[in-house]
Each structure stands twice: as structure tokens, then as C-alpha cells.
Amino acid sequence: MALSQNGWKAGTPEEIGGLDTSKVAGVGFPQGVRRGPAAVVLHYLLYQLHTRVEPLRAGWCWGYHYKRIEGSDDLSNHASATAVDYNAPDHPMGKRNTFSAAQRAEIRRILAELDDVVRWGGDYEGRPDDMHFEIVAGVAKVERVAARLTGNPAPTPPSKPGRPAPGPEIPYPLPKRYFFGPESGGDESVSGVHARRFAGHTDRYWIQTWANQLRRRGWPVGQGRRYLTRAGNDGKFGPEYDQLVRAFQRDQALSVDGELGPMTWAAAYRNPIR
């Protein structure tokens, strides 16, 4: 079975369950998007972009297309109809910050409303793709978000006993009030960019160590996987690490702030795997 990069089944429209060709704010997407919960999520995203970022332009927005990622053997998420390109000619691949700072902030607020089941190509650490938005969560999570958007909450599956986290626990390596975060966060935000040393190792080493612990817990972390897809676990805290930290915080019912501080660090070693 062919899978697109995000793990969804790819193929002809018939093979993936059909396409939703509904227009959004009067604008169509060639061949539409995947029918069902994916369409609910992507249509919500597009309408919010239309009203809060910039209006959709007819003929400039694209959906399903069975193809491979440029420069890769992986199938594009367009091939599973779980990705869209938005006002593409104004936001060409390879050009960063084609949206204003205010627009970029609004885009990230919209993605947060969708519980980060959608990733924006403008946050890629490698070649940027500002036009591109793609589903990156699994079917079950997308179904839950779609149910919330349509006012029909999905039933919560019964909880299962957790497995102990893999050990041994590694103590939090930073001084009080310091956290792992973006370079722009000030002196107390340790980004892995400047090779600062803490507890005998570089900051990059510690960021990699924590991400490896999530991998040991079963999280799909690494180049070509759901988290840290582009650059892999390189220890440099950018948008992909922010996405991973927020996803883990949300999973563990922690405060979701994108900062890898002592509570988020410890949860990876102490909290059971559900």
C-alpha cells in the first residue's frame, strides 16, 4: 500500500475514499481534498486563512495531486489529498517570509486552534514552502479535531494501563529559570545554536538526549518521520522542536508553551507510556 509522507494512504481518488470538491469562500481547489475528517480540518484551515490572513484567490489554490516530493522518493502529502497549497504564486517554494510577521503569527494561531494536526511549510527548517499546509497527525487525532469543529465530539477511548517510561532518568541539566527554546527567547532560552555547555555537555547534546527519550517512548521522531522531519534530531531548537515539545506537553496534559523546561523534561522519564 502506497503511503504519503505523513503515513496516510495515497492513491487514486477511489483508492483513498473519494475527494471533497467543495469550494471554500467561493474558491475551488483542483480535484479537492480527501473526503471526511481531513476535509473538515483543511476547509476550516482555509476559511480561517481567507478571513484572517489573506483572501483565497481563484486559480491559485491547489489540492490533490499524486506526485512525489521534489528531490525525494517520498510521496507528497498531496498524493493522499491531505495537503493544500494556498495562493501559491504569491508564496513560491524556496522563498521565506512571503507573509508579514503579523500574518505569520496569525497562521500559527490558526494551527494551534487545530491542535497542530496541520503543519505549515513556512516552518520547515530546510527549504521553506510558504504556500504549503499539510496534515501531519494520524487519522484518530484528525477525527477528534474534526468532530470538535463540527460540534460532534468523538467518544473518548477507554484508558489503558500505562507502561513504565524507559530509564534510567537523566536529571534536568539546566540551571533554575533556564529552559530549552528558540534562539530568540533571550539568555535563559537555550537553543543549541551557540554550543553553550551545561552539566558537562553542549546544549545540543541535551536537546538531542530529550528527543531520543521520546523516540524510546515510541514517538515518531527523526528525519522523514512525523516530528523533526526535515533536519532530524540535530539539537538546534527551531520550529520543528517547538512542534514536538508542544505535542508532548499536550499529550501529557502539561502547560503548552513550547518551552522544554524541568517539568516537560521530567515527564519524558517519569510518566507512564499510555
Side-chain angles (χ1 to χ4, degrees), residues 92-97 121-131:
M93 179 187 292
K95 188 173 181 181
R96 194 174 293 280
N97 295 339
D123 281 335
Y124 290 166
E125 291 188 351
R127 178 181 60 187
D129 195 2
D130 279 11
M131 73 174 87

Side-chain angles (χ1 to χ4, degrees), residues 135-240:
I135 287 176
V136 290
V139 174
K141 187 169 183 180
V142 171
E143 287 177 342
R144 290 195 295 272
V145 173
R148 172 170 59 79
L149 294 174
T150 56
N152 298 304
T156 303
S159 60
K160 298 179 182 178
R163 294 184 288 111
E169 180 178 350
I170 297 175
Y172 185 64
L174 299 184
K176 190 176 180 179
R177 296 191 300 275
Y178 279 64
F179 59 91
F180 295 103
E183 185 181 13
S184 60
D187 185 65
E188 294 176 352
S189 180
V190 178
S191 65
V193 174
H194 300 295
R196 301 163 73 183
R197 295 186 69 85
F198 298 91
H201 293 284
T202 65
D203 46 5
R204 289 183 64 182
Y205 170 87
W206 291 121
I207 293 170
Q208 290 170 321
T209 296
W210 184 82
N212 282 334
Q213 176 66 2
L214 263 60
R215 181 179 53 77
R216 294 172 69 203
R217 291 176 64 96
W219 282 61
V221 173
Q223 202 160 26
R225 308 196 72 190
R226 184 177 299 170
Y227 298 101
L228 308 185
T229 301
R230 296 289 170 174
N233 187 16
D234 65 356
K236 295 181 180 180
F237 200 105
E240 288 195 312

Side-chain angles (χ1 to χ4, degrees), residues 23-96:
K23 293 183 176 181
V24 178
V27 175
F29 287 71
Q31 296 188 274
V33 296
R34 192 186 192 99
R35 184 177 295 161
V40 172
V41 168
L42 291 173
H43 285 166
Y44 175 89
L45 164 75
L46 291 164
Y47 185 77
Q48 299 306 313
L49 292 172
H50 172 77
T51 57
R52 295 160 57 181
V53 180
E54 68 179 27
L56 300 170
R57 298 190 60 177
W60 285 20
C61 301
W62 310 322
Y64 169 76
H65 183 197
Y66 193 88
K67 66 174 184 175
R68 299 193 182 276
I69 298 170
E70 291 186 24
S72 170
D73 291 331
D74 292 335
L75 281 173
S76 165
N77 295 327
H78 286 286
S80 59
T82 56
V84 292
D85 291 334
Y86 162 57
N87 290 350
D90 277 349
H91 308 289
M93 179 187 292
K95 188 173 181 181
R96 194 174 293 280

Side-chain angles (χ1 to χ4, degrees), residues 116 179-182 189-190 210 237-250 254-261 264:
D116 294 317
F179 59 91
F180 295 103
S189 180
V190 178
W210 184 82
F237 200 105
E240 288 195 312
Y241 279 101
D242 179 85
Q243 180 194 36
L244 174 62
V245 170
R246 289 176 185 273
F248 181 71
Q249 289 171 331
R250 192 173 291 110
L254 299 169
S255 176
V256 180
D257 57 10
E259 296 178 359
L260 176 47
T264 303

